[in-house]
Amino acid sequence: AQKITQTQPGMFVQEKEAVTLDCTYDTSDPSYGLFWYKQPSSGEMIFLIYQGSYDQQNATEGRYSLNFQKARKSANLVISASQLGDSAMYFCAMRERYTGNQFYFGTGTSLTVIP
Amino acid sequence: DVKVTQSSRYLVKRTGEKVFLECVQDMDHENMFWYRQDPGLGLRLIYFSYDVKMKEKGDIPEGYSVSREKKERFSLILESASTNQTSMYLCASSTATGTGQFPLNEQFFGPGTRLTVL
């Protein structure tokens, strides 16, 4: 079974609008972390935001927030006030505390911001 | 500024050649990883290493080997390159997860190597 599922291969958003990128995960480990990365066309993976499984509040980093719904095993990334520079691939990833060393990645969502 | 560096951004090799991709990190991380990235397939783990001289196979190790003789350096080797190994290769590093360690730390990535095998 897939550990991380991203069901949106491509998304479009108007500049200055908000957009939600979906991510669902599968784990039986009660302790885990969820990560979002951005990959611009240059290729480098940029870490955006982290959510721990025991965190009571949704993580936020500037214009990025993570909508964490633990019972649904969902960790959607919300980008507010989209900018042209947000156009990139976005990857959701998970790390389990007790398997520890591996990171599991989704297949990514390509976001295009339209002026 | 923390860094993961990779020896080449672009590489063109011929079928059958032996190819070395080098990765160096300066963060004293225990774990290092090699992924390949292909459109629509996301990142697939080739190998990872959790300590010097230690390695674990990932999801797609066939046709690849690795070497970690020093903590900061992790090499990916294509013993006999084939055209189906044309891809983007990403190196990453992270701290280990010790017992009781939370939050779990992220991976840091290098800039990637776009390898073309002709």
Side-chain angles (χ1 to χ4, degrees), chain B residues 1 8 11 18 41-43 59 62 71 73 87 94 96 105:
Chain B
D1 198 18
S8 305
L11 210 51
K18 191 168 186 175
L41 297 178
L43 276 69
D59 300 317
E62 297 79 17
K71 189 175 185 180
R73 188 178 297 269
S87 188
S94 76
N105 295 327

Side-chain angles (χ1 to χ4, degrees), chain A residues 30-33 35 37 39-47 50 52-55 89 91 95-108, chain B residues 9 31 33 35 37 40-43 45 48 50 57-59 88 90 94-111 114:
Chain A
S31 304
Y32 53 90
F35 306 82
Y37 287 85
Q39 187 182 41
S41 57
S42 60
E44 190 157 0
M45 297 280 279
I46 302 165
F47 166 69
Y50 165 83
S53 59
Y54 298 116
D55 293 343
M89 283 290 290
F91 291 95
R95 185 179 191 183
E96 296 164 322
R97 178 170 159 187
Y98 292 106
T99 60
N101 291 317
Q102 280 208 47
F103 288 73
Y104 302 95
F105 284 83
T107 52
Chain B
R9 286 286 267 144
N31 297 337
F33 306 79
Y35 296 93
Q37 183 180 11
L41 297 178
L43 276 69
L45 181 65
F48 70 94
Y50 52 90
K57 291 181 181 179
D59 300 317
M88 171 72 137
L90 290 166
S94 76
T95 57
T97 51
T99 55
Q101 179 182 345
F102 225 80
L104 298 171
N105 295 327
E106 73 271 29
Q107 281 182 320
F108 293 84
F109 282 85
R114 291 190 184 275

